[in-house]
Amino acid sequence: MGIRTTNKENMYRSPLGAGGNQFLIFVKKECLHIWRDKRTLFILIVMPVVQILLYGFALTNEVKNAKIAIFDQSRDEATMVISDRIAASRYFDLIKNVHSYKDVEATFREGKIRLAVVFPLGFRNDLLHTNHAQIQLIADATDPNTANMLTNYATAIINDYQQSITQNQQLPYSIKTQVRMLYNPELKGAYSFVPGVMALVLMLVCAMMTSISIVREKEIGTMEVILVSPLKPFRIIIAKTIPYLMVSMLNIASILLLSVYVLDVPIAGSLGLLIAESVLFTITSLSVGILISNTAKTQQNAQFTSLMSLFLPTLLFSGFLFPVENMPLPLQVISNIVPAKWYYIIVKSVMIKGLGFTAIWKETLILMGMTMVLLGISIKNFKIRLA
Amino acid sequence: MENSNKNNSVTNSSPIKDGSKVITAKELTKRFGDFTAVDKISFEVEKGEIFGFLGANGAGKTTAMRMLCGLSMPTSGSATVAGYDVYNQNELIKKNIGYMSQKFSLYEDLTIRENIKLYAGIYGLSDARIKEKTAQLLEELHMQGEEKTLVRALPLGWKQKLAFSIAIVHDPAIVFLDEPTGGVDPITRREFWTLIYQASEKGITVFVTTHYMDEAEYCNRVSIMVDGRMDALDSPANLMKTYSAKSMDDVFLQLARKAVRVE
Amino acid sequence: MIADKKNIDLIDSSGNKAAKAITVENIVKTYTVKKTVVDALKGISFAVEKGEIFGIIGPDGAGKTSLFRILTTLLLADSGKATVDGYDVVKDYKAIRNRVGYMPGKFSLYQDLSIQENLEFFATIFNTSIEENYDMIKEIYQQIEPFKTRKAGQLSGGMKQKLALCCALIHKPSVLFLDEPTTGVDAVSRKEFWEMLHQLKLQGITILVSTPYMDEAGLCDRVALIQKGVILSINTPKGITGEFGKPLWSVKANEMFHLMNSIKADPEVESCYPFGQYHHVVFKSQENVKEKLERIAREGNYTGFEVHAIEPNIEDCFMALMNTHNP
């Protein structure tokens, strides 16, 4: 009657032992849900790519005509020449000569300038008599990349000048540029973005999508039937998470490929270690998702909880946008319970700094502990009955 | 545009008189692509009439009702509701109709009084009138002393009655009820129908869809839609005679079984 | 009381043909919603014989869904005992989960999976396959099989219902729990659904079905009328209407609404409810009732007046029982 006659032996023997078949069809069903919801699938696959690319473009954008101020306390021949050269550069647009540090700060606060060049008193004197002089470059580092580029440009101009006067002398003059970054002294930017996106994407895909998919079954009533079936609750949970684990792996792959080949951010450490740690963090996120689904009653509810309790803390406390060290102590303490913080440290160490497992075993252990606890609670709370 | 001219003479305020038609529909049709959801239905409903609108799931009831409420533009044909044309006077239609669906539009987290005030306010009743109406409505529903109760805490039957009273708080010419009595006990259901009768006594036309066939028998006239067409329209007694049926259930089954299309 | 007790003991020990498919003893269930305690079930008891279609008839909020969830082991009762197929709903929940079929009230299948995929999924998680139990669902499945590659989300209400029933039956359950399977479904599909249930009964399956539609009571072997967590009556449909006790009159006139008001105004009248084209009237004392009604009609100048003595239906009984339980 149009029903396939499958080999019964195959139907009931499964390599996963008793109930393995039930488990496999559940995973298959989950994959179908994801596959057939093309819009969500598209977002899941493309979102990380877009984030990485957007940032890539932001990075390579040249800065032109950045507004600057000069605070010249020396007003001598040398400072004039340097000032002229800087002002003449196409990168800079001198809009103001200021006369005190207070002025410098005020001008920054008004948002009028992105960089200030400060010459100390007796600049030329120092340069000619001690061969050592200093220039201070103060940059608005709320946008760390721009700040970084501007100080680099300015330093290049100053080095140019230094070379031009050194040519006629036997003794090398040296001008030391002292860079001060306002607002974001650590200049977290370029390299910190890739690990940050990885943490965010994994958290979102795993936790939010898992919790939504579990809650959806509660909403449409299928969860009741599945609970009444002989399928063990533990297997339901695992089956629910496997497809999202796979999507996450795909995301990690796309992020790493893009960052290496498009953004030129190399993987300095071991790729195997990086992937292993990512799997660990994925499991952490999945267990958070299951935990959310235990309490959420509607899909919107699950989505909102995921965003508020995962997305924002990950953004704020993982350290990739705002340095944790600069936060008030209570916030620093809070940041410790955000799993993404530890994953972020791990990825940065392995990927950017090229460190090995010995450098991150502590963080790995913390993440593992968190995962065990979360997984334990979420599986224990996953009810074999309703309410 | 031609079809809208005919009734323009009566489109000023309160165009409906006793014994006049509150709804007229002539070959009203709605097509979605190749699919004809509503297929040339023609009927009239009189002032104060209780008009039952039946049909199997997917027969086109909801689409027809949307057109009459001014929420959906017909593909062809003409219709007036409360004297206003469905093509270009839908704002006036909305002012002169009430609507209540199965998932009543009450706000669960507001009190009874707040819900009444809200809807009365939406329909532009004056403050004095709102006060008067609120008192009258609470009395009619025997809910005095409960006005500060959150709607959430009310039994389903109360909510239903409240939702109906609120749907006619602005004394509309006609009230549309979309399966209003699902799931309540038989006594509450009858109390609800008493409210419908009272509204009809006051001259409000009641246009109601239901799955309960005995409720269809409460209506003055019943129409049955099959595959987008209106295959029957008469009083319940006449319908039973025509189809030699013992009950409206029989009539409905005979007609609905002819349906060829699925949702 | 003593006889009852003995009866139950006998069932527990023997497990022979006298054994019940479902027993419910004094089940109590309360919920706390926003600090207010809701009594969903106030100590209800009944038993269902094997192979019976047993209807739980009552409005929303009567406690039907709580009862179904307790019996399908999804919810724990506060107190009381219940068995399904001889197994205790608390202790032996795993055994019960293997042998019952359940269609929850809001059950809507996986909208994005096809008919066949849905069925295959439910067959597999219940450790069986479509082929193995094809006999069980054949009659019903054949009606939707031509559309088996269509997604459940694109099916009509009636077809969805058939698929849901197939999914609940695919593992040959001994007891089938159907929680409001016909709510929101049109009259044609409702009728077809009940025809299917009677087919299933022939295969020996016990069916516990709940519904808010009183007219469906007549399609069950026995029914329990339930209201606000209390069972008002348990009997065969005939037995229930037989318990009505008082003569029932059906009246009709052209001015129905006014007629009802006039009748209700008479102090002799116990109740008057509209029923389709008629009003059903019960008097407190039964002398000269017909004359009394005719007098009311005369005095009110009602036209087209008719009066008949009629047999009560389940809905008449339900309302009468509601009035005796909450006067």
Side-chain angles (χ1 to χ4, degrees), chain B residues 56-57 152 156 183-187 189-190 194 197-198 201 211-212 214 217-218 237 240 249 252-253 256-257 263, chain C residues 34 59-60 156-157 184-188 190-191 213-214 227 257-258 260 273-277 315 318-319 322-323:
Chain B
N57 298 335
R152 184 192 290 133
L156 179 66
V184 296
D185 69 68
I187 293 185
R189 203 144 65 83
R190 283 174 174 76
T194 308
Y197 278 128
Q198 281 165 0
E201 285 288 307
H211 279 319
Y212 289 96
D214 63 320
E217 295 182 24
Y218 299 153
M240 283 187 258
D249 210 24
F252 184 78
L253 287 176
R257 284 232 161 106
E263 267 167 61
Chain C
K34 312 233 173 209
D60 286 3
S156 69
V185 179
D186 66 60
V188 179
R190 266 166 66 191
K191 191 144 182 141
Y213 298 102
M214 303 282 152
Q227 153 87 357
F257 182 56
H258 290 284
M260 184 168 71
Y273 291 114
F275 254 90
Q277 303 183 81
E315 202 158 344
F318 195 96
M319 290 192 286
M322 272 177 77
N323 285 331

Side-chain angles (χ1 to χ4, degrees), chain A residues 128 131 162-173:
Chain A
L128 295 183
N131 291 345
Q162 182 188 319
Q163 260 171 20
S164 71
I165 57 169
T166 307
Q167 272 172 4
N168 321 321
Q169 306 292 331
Q170 276 157 355
L171 284 171
Y173 294 112

Side-chain angles (χ1 to χ4, degrees), chain C residues 187-231:
Chain C
V188 179
S189 308
R190 266 166 66 191
K191 191 144 182 141
E192 280 178 2
F193 192 80
W194 277 98
E195 281 159 12
M196 289 189 280
L197 294 192
H198 285 105
Q199 286 290 325
L200 289 174
K201 179 185 149 78
L202 298 179
Q203 305 196 41
I205 298 182
T206 309
I207 302 172
L208 188 74
V209 55
S210 73
T211 175
Y213 298 102
M214 303 282 152
D215 55 336
E216 291 180 352
L219 302 166
C220 305
D221 295 323
R222 284 195 305 145
V223 295
L225 304 185
I226 182 169
Q227 153 87 357
K228 292 184 183 162
V230 177
I231 290 186

